[in-house]
């Protein structure tokens, strides 16, 4: 007999990500991640699928985390990142056997390895200050009592804490000798690095603008390995990443946008033509975002692939977010684009077979967590080739969500899902919980969501929709929330509740709950300050006061203006009008506040202010703080804390609904 899903079942879920075909197409390296037995961290290992045998074999073992597999150009070696001592380092395994070899010695973390075309060197990333050297015998210890001198707005980052002047720099490793050469030293982060096909230069993204703190851009640059000169390919007005070169070296493909709608702008596909020295956007008129914008809680360490070129140099494949799904699109150099795989699923990674007739995708569906699938690009048929989550699926009651679609107050079509209670019985009435995602520019999708299944197992129905502001439905749709927080988006989610109450007779309109995190936490705070329809609410890592958020969040000083359209000093009254804290006196819904103490994105003071205000007014409120937890607690935080968080949420609704 199948079991109901519990919060604790999170430890059974295994995440399969980052597939990479070997150069001859006979093997696929990928990463398999799960929570360890102590429930205090994650284990991740490199697994290799043999396409001839149809079997997977573990290539790394033990308690160390291993990830980022990259085949050498000749396919005889596999580089990966592992933390086997105090630092993360790059190791290489020979495909004919033997122990993994560390390629270089340094006290600093080396990550994100990329092979040179001749296989003689690797470019990677290292976080360094301008006073640190890769040749240091050991890393300087940080004195926790030493005062922190701050001169930059970018002095902290969520999930990192105080940056202390460290930036990601490019490092070249000579594979034969292990010699290290630092290639960049600008005080900015360098990423998305890749060699040109001739191995003479490295492309990367970085912000080299004069006022990088206030001019939030990421340009594509080209570093010549001969004279170390750097050339900028984009126009210092956008945000770009994910670079790859056509096989003949004529084109560089990359993804990004020119901030026409700030961070609500759709990511597009671009190329730079080196023959004509011309930059072109290939998907200007396509209402699709070329990135994985899905929000979820069971895919650990997903790596979106860079654009993958075809052998004829006439186009490339890229991942896109589209109508509640992620898809693989083909884009030609002439600007023709179409999906080659668009199903009801969340593809979080893919790799193209060298002969281009097959692809390997890592994908999840609403009723099955992430696995690897072999996709025939000619017949479009996909065959599951891993079964790491099969026992979990077979042993538990997993509810398939029903898709819904309705018109909002202004005629805009809203798309979403309803999850029935796990032990639904005809004729019974059940409570309904509204879930609101974060972002706001993210998207719920056709993917397994553990939190929703836990709530359904407790006898709740769950409605989750993509209100205006969500990705996946075009440029105007995603931009619709900017300057209107708590306006049209509020109407959308409230209309979702009205729609399902009117469409499903088993829902009890007197037992409504609401929850969400980040922007979803803001919306939860806003909703209970505007209406008393909900009998219970749980707000997570939320925003309550835009006036203080401006100065305490790692992104507050620009995000507030980008999203609300008002500056703290020019329009403080407007920011207060958008703040749920202003409406705290109206709140009568029992409210549970969950927040991480090391959240630098939505700092814990946002929760403290709301709690103090409500407690002083003698409202029904409870505040739970998670020590050392950052903003991503629900997705990649401490496993035991994640389980406790789920039990706090389901318990609160159980008490009040």
């Amino acid at each position: 007999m199948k079991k109901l899903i519990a919060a604790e079942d999170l430890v059974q879920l295994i995440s399969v990500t980052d597939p990479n075909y070997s150069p001859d197409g006979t093997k696929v390296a990928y990463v398999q991640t799960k929570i360890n037995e102590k429930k205090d961290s994650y284990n991740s290992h490199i697994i290799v699928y043999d396409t001839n045998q149809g079997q997977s074999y573990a290539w790394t073992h033990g308690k160390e985390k291993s990830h980022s597999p990259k085949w050498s150009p000749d396919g005889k070696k596999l580089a990966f990142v592992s933390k086997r001592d105090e630092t993360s380092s790059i190791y290489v395994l020979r495909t004919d056997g033997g122990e993994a070899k560390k390629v270089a010695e340094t006290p600093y973390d080396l990550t994100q390895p990329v092979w040179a075309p001749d296989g003689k060197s690797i470019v990677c990333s290292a976080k360094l200050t301008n006073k640190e050297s890769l040749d240091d015998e050991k890393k300087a210890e940080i004195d926790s009592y030493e005062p922190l001198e701050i001169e930059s707005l970018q002095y902290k980052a969520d999930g990192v804490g105080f940056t202390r002047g460290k930036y990601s720099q490019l490092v070249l490793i000579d594979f034969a000798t292990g010699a290290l050469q630092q290639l960049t030293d600008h005080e900015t982060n360098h990423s998305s690095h890749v060699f040109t096909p001739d191995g003479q230069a490295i492309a990367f993204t970085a912000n080299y603008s004069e006022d990088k703190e206030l001019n939030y851009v990421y340009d594509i640059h080209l570093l010549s390995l001969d004279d170390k000169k750097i050339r900028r390919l984009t126009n210092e007005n956008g945000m770009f990443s994910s670079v790859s070169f056509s096989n003949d070296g004529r084109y560089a493909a990359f993804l990004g946008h020119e901030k026409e709608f700030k961070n609500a702008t759709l990511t597009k596909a671009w190329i730079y033509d080196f023959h004509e020295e011309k930059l072109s956007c290939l998907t200007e008129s396509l209402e699709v975002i070329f990135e994985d914008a899905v929000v979820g809680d069971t895919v650990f360490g997903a790596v979106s692939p860079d654009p993958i070129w075809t052998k004829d140099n006439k186009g490339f494949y890229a991942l896109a977010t589209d109508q509640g799904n992620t898809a693989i699109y083909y884009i030609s150099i002439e600007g023709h684009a179409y999906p080659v795989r668009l199903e009801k699923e969340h593809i979080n990674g893919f790799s193209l077979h060298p002969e281009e007739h097959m692809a390997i995708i890592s994908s999840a569906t609403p009723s099955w967590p992430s696995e690897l699938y072999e996709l025939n690009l000619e017949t479009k048929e996909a065959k599951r080739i891993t079964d790491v989550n099969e026992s979990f699926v077979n042993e538990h009651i997993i509810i398939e969500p029903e898709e819904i679609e309705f018109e909002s107050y202004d005629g805009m079509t809203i798309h979403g899902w309803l999850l029935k209670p796990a032990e639904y019985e005809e004729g019974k009435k059940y409570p309904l919980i509204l879930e609101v995602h974060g972002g706001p520019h993210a998207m719920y999708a056709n993917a397994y969501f553990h939190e929703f299944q836990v709530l359904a197992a407790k006898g709740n129905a769950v409605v989750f929709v993509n209100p205006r502001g969500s990705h996946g439905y075009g440029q105007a749709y995603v931009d619709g929330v900017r300057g209107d927080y708590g306006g049209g988006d509020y109407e959308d989610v409230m209309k979702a509740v009205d729609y399902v109450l009117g469409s499903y007779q088993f829902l009890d309109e007197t037992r409504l709950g609401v929850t969400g995190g980040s922007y979803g936490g803001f919306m939860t705070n806003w909703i209970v300050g505007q209406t008393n329809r909900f009998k219970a609410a749980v707000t997570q890592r939320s925003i309550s006061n835009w006036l203080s958020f401006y100065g305490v969040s790692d992104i507050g000083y620009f995000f507030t203006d980008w999203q609300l359209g008002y500056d703290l000093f020019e329009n403080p009254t407007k920011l207060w009008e958008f703040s749920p804290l202003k409406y705290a006196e109206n709140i009568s819904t029992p409210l549970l506040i969950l927040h991480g103490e090391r959240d630098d994105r939505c700092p814990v003071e946002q929760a403290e202010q709301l709690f103090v205000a409500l407690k002083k007014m003698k409202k029904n409120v409870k505040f739970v703080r998670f020590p050392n937890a950052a903003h991503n607690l629900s997705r990649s935080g401490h496993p035991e804390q994640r389980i406790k968080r789920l039990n706090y949420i389901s318990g609160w609704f159980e008490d009040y609904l």
Side-chain angles (χ1 to χ4, degrees):
M1 185 174 179
K2 289 192 173 185
K3 300 177 290 187
L4 290 171
I5 289 176
E8 290 74 12
D9 291 325
L10 191 67
V11 301
Q12 296 185 41
L13 294 169
I14 299 174
S15 180
V16 175
T17 58
D18 198 14
N20 289 269
Y21 264 115
S22 61
D24 63 1
T26 64
K27 298 179 180 64
V28 179
Y30 61 97
V31 180
Q32 189 169 294
T33 306
K34 68 173 296 184
I35 294 169
N36 68 11
E37 293 179 358
K38 294 182 179 179
K39 302 179 186 177
D40 61 357
S41 65
Y42 301 84
N43 286 338
S44 59
H45 287 292
I46 309 299
I47 313 295
V48 174
Y49 175 76
D50 188 304
T51 60
N52 293 323
Q53 298 180 20
Q55 295 289 327
S56 289
Y57 303 93
W59 277 27
T60 66
H61 305 269
K63 297 179 181 180
E64 302 86 2
K65 294 180 181 178
S66 299
H67 56 89
S68 305
K70 294 290 184 293
W71 297 101
S72 62
D74 61 8
K76 294 181 179 180
K77 296 177 285 291
L78 183 70
F80 61 95
V81 176
S82 187
K83 192 169 186 177
R84 303 192 172 192
D85 42 39
E86 294 182 357
T87 60
S88 292
S89 300
I90 296 170
Y91 292 80
V92 168
L93 273 168
R94 295 191 62 86
T95 58
D96 56 5
E99 294 292 324
K101 172 189 173 184
K102 185 189 285 191
V103 298
E105 293 291 343
T106 178
Y108 300 100
D109 290 340
L110 299 178
T111 60
Q112 301 174 327
V114 176
W115 288 93
D118 61 8
K120 294 181 179 179
S121 59
I122 292 173
V123 64
C124 62
S125 178
K127 281 190 173 292
L128 300 165
T129 69
N130 57 12
K131 296 179 180 179
E132 293 174 328
S133 168
L134 294 165
D135 296 326
D136 293 342
E137 290 189 8
K138 71 175 187 174
K139 189 164 45 177
E141 294 185 8
I142 297 173
D143 183 351
S144 59
Y145 291 96
E146 181 70 20
L148 181 66
E149 297 180 2
I150 298 169
E151 295 180 330
S152 168
L153 285 172
Q154 299 170 356
Y155 70 93
K156 63 179 179 178
D158 183 64
V160 175
F162 297 131
T163 57
R164 298 181 181 274
K166 287 183 177 289
Y167 296 98
S168 296
Q169 304 294 352
L170 300 186
V171 175
L172 192 68
I173 305 173
D174 185 293
F175 183 71
T177 65
L180 295 163
Q181 179 184 2
Q182 185 175 334
L183 299 176
T184 59
D185 58 7
H186 290 74
E187 292 189 344
T188 188
N189 290 316
H190 302 73
S191 59
S192 295
H193 44 274
V194 62
F195 281 91
T196 54
D198 61 9
Q200 300 301 305
I202 295 171
F204 62 91
T205 64
N207 183 354
Y208 281 179
S209 60
E210 289 186 11
D211 189 1
K212 68 176 186 297
E213 293 184 344
L214 297 176
N215 188 20
Y216 208 76
V217 299
Y218 282 94
D219 283 298
I220 306 296
H221 297 84
L222 198 64
L223 166 68
S224 169
L225 292 175
D226 180 33
D227 57 16
K228 302 301 184 291
K229 289 184 178 179
I230 295 175
R231 170 188 175 192
R232 178 165 49 81
L233 303 183
T234 48
N235 297 320
E236 212 169 13
N237 64 346
M239 303 171 73
F240 298 93
S241 64
S242 302
V243 193
S244 68
F245 288 91
S246 59
N247 302 290
D248 59 4
R250 174 170 177 173
Y251 302 103
F254 41 89
L255 308 174
H257 58 75
E258 293 184 325
K259 297 199 305 181
E260 298 93 327
F261 302 91
K262 304 301 183 184
N263 63 325
T265 314
L266 296 184
T267 301
K268 306 175 184 71
W270 299 69
I271 58 169
Y272 186 87
D273 185 335
F274 288 96
H275 287 191
E276 299 183 8
E277 297 188 346
K278 180 182 177 182
L279 175 68
S280 303
C281 178
L282 299 178
T283 60
E284 185 65 46
S285 60
L286 193 62
E287 293 286 285
V288 171
I289 176 172
F290 283 92
E291 64 180 69
D292 180 359
V294 174
V295 59
D297 63 355
T298 59
V299 176
F300 314 126
V303 178
S304 292
D306 296 333
I308 301 176
W309 283 87
T310 55
K311 291 189 297 184
D312 60 11
N313 305 305
K314 293 182 179 180
F316 52 87
Y317 294 94
L319 197 63
T321 294
D322 194 351
Q323 302 285 318
N325 309 289
T326 49
I328 300 173
Y329 268 71
Y330 172 79
I331 305 105
S332 75
I333 57 176
E334 288 85 16
H336 304 299
Y338 59 87
V340 296
R341 175 74 176 180
L342 179 52
E343 301 292 335
K344 294 185 185 225
E345 64 186 338
H346 172 207
I347 300 173
N348 58 72
F350 73 95
S351 181
L352 185 65
H353 190 280
E355 297 303 319
E356 302 182 4
H357 63 294
M358 304 290 290
I360 293 289
I361 62 175
S362 48
S363 177
T365 67
S367 58
W368 201 299
S370 182
E371 301 272 13
L372 283 191
Y373 294 81
E374 193 173 56
L375 172 64
N376 188 313
L377 292 173
E378 296 171 356
T379 66
K380 310 302 181 187
E381 294 181 356
K383 180 182 72 172
R384 182 163 54 86
I385 59 173
T386 61
D387 57 4
V388 296
N389 288 297
E390 187 170 23
S391 60
F392 172 81
V393 172
N394 291 338
E395 293 171 5
H396 291 85
I397 299 171
I398 300 176
I399 307 303
E400 188 85 26
E402 298 179 20
E403 287 198 58
I404 59 174
E405 204 170 77
F406 57 90
E407 285 190 1
S408 191
Y409 72 101
D410 58 355
M412 184 172 283
T413 300
I414 309 298
H415 174 225
W417 296 263
L418 179 79
L419 201 65
K420 285 184 177 180
E423 294 184 307
Y424 169 78
E425 294 180 25
E426 195 76 35
K428 287 186 66 175
K429 289 279 190 177
Y430 295 92
L432 173 69
I433 297 172
L434 169 67
E435 288 264 8
V436 186
H437 68 60
H441 310 308
M443 182 189 75
Y444 284 137
N446 281 302
Y448 178 83
F449 211 119
H450 193 63
E451 179 179 324
F452 300 169
Q453 295 291 339
V454 169
L455 292 173
K458 293 288 188 179
N460 305 288
V462 182
V463 60
F464 51 106
V465 301
N466 289 322
R468 68 194 65 201
S470 304
H471 273 310
Y473 305 92
Q475 183 61 76
Y477 194 87
V478 71
D479 190 50
V481 72
R482 289 201 311 136
D484 191 38
Y485 274 45
D489 51 353
Y490 169 75
E491 299 293 342
D492 293 345
V493 296
M494 295 303 291
K495 187 70 175 177
V497 173
D498 293 337
Y499 175 79
V500 294
L501 287 176
S503 303
Y504 298 89
Q505 299 307 308
F506 62 85
L507 299 176
D508 186 346
E509 64 180 6
T510 68
R511 292 189 290 164
L512 302 179
V514 59
T515 186
S518 195
Y519 162 79
F522 159 82
M523 282 299 297
T524 300
N525 297 341
W526 184 267
I527 287 168
V528 295
Q530 306 298 314
T531 178
N532 62 2
R533 288 183 68 184
F534 294 88
K535 301 308 177 188
V538 181
T539 183
Q540 308 167 54
R541 58 190 187 281
S542 70
I543 295 171
S544 66
N545 184 354
W546 288 103
L547 291 165
S548 61
F549 177 84
Y550 184 96
V552 297
S553 168
D554 63 340
I555 62 172
Y557 62 95
F558 65 85
F559 184 89
T560 306
D561 179 53
W562 284 9
Q563 287 294 304
L564 300 186
Y566 298 104
D567 182 80
L568 172 64
F569 301 102
E570 296 174 0
N571 292 287
T573 57
K574 284 291 186 180
L575 294 187
W576 183 238
E577 288 174 12
F578 279 113
S579 298
L581 190 63
K582 177 183 178 181
Y583 310 97
E585 189 176 4
N586 301 338
I587 297 176
S588 60
T589 304
L591 181 65
L592 174 63
I593 302 172
L594 305 180
H595 218 108
E597 293 188 347
R598 285 306 308 149
D599 189 336
D600 286 317
R601 186 59 39 87
C602 297
V604 72
E605 61 85 31
Q606 294 286 306
E608 291 172 327
Q609 291 187 64
L610 185 59
F611 173 73
V612 169
L614 294 177
K615 201 67 180 176
K616 188 176 181 182
M617 296 176 191
K618 300 189 181 304
K619 306 284 187 175
N620 188 347
V621 61
K622 183 176 182 178
F623 184 17
V624 179
R625 302 168 68 118
F626 292 86
N628 302 312
H631 195 63
N632 279 332
L633 167 63
S634 65
R635 298 180 284 270
S636 58
H638 186 280
E640 190 65 46
Q641 286 190 338
R642 292 180 64 195
I643 292 169
K644 289 179 178 178
R645 168 191 164 272
L646 289 170
N647 282 325
Y648 274 120
I649 295 169
S650 61
W652 189 260
F653 288 129
E654 198 166 9
D655 289 344
Y656 290 98
L657 299 185

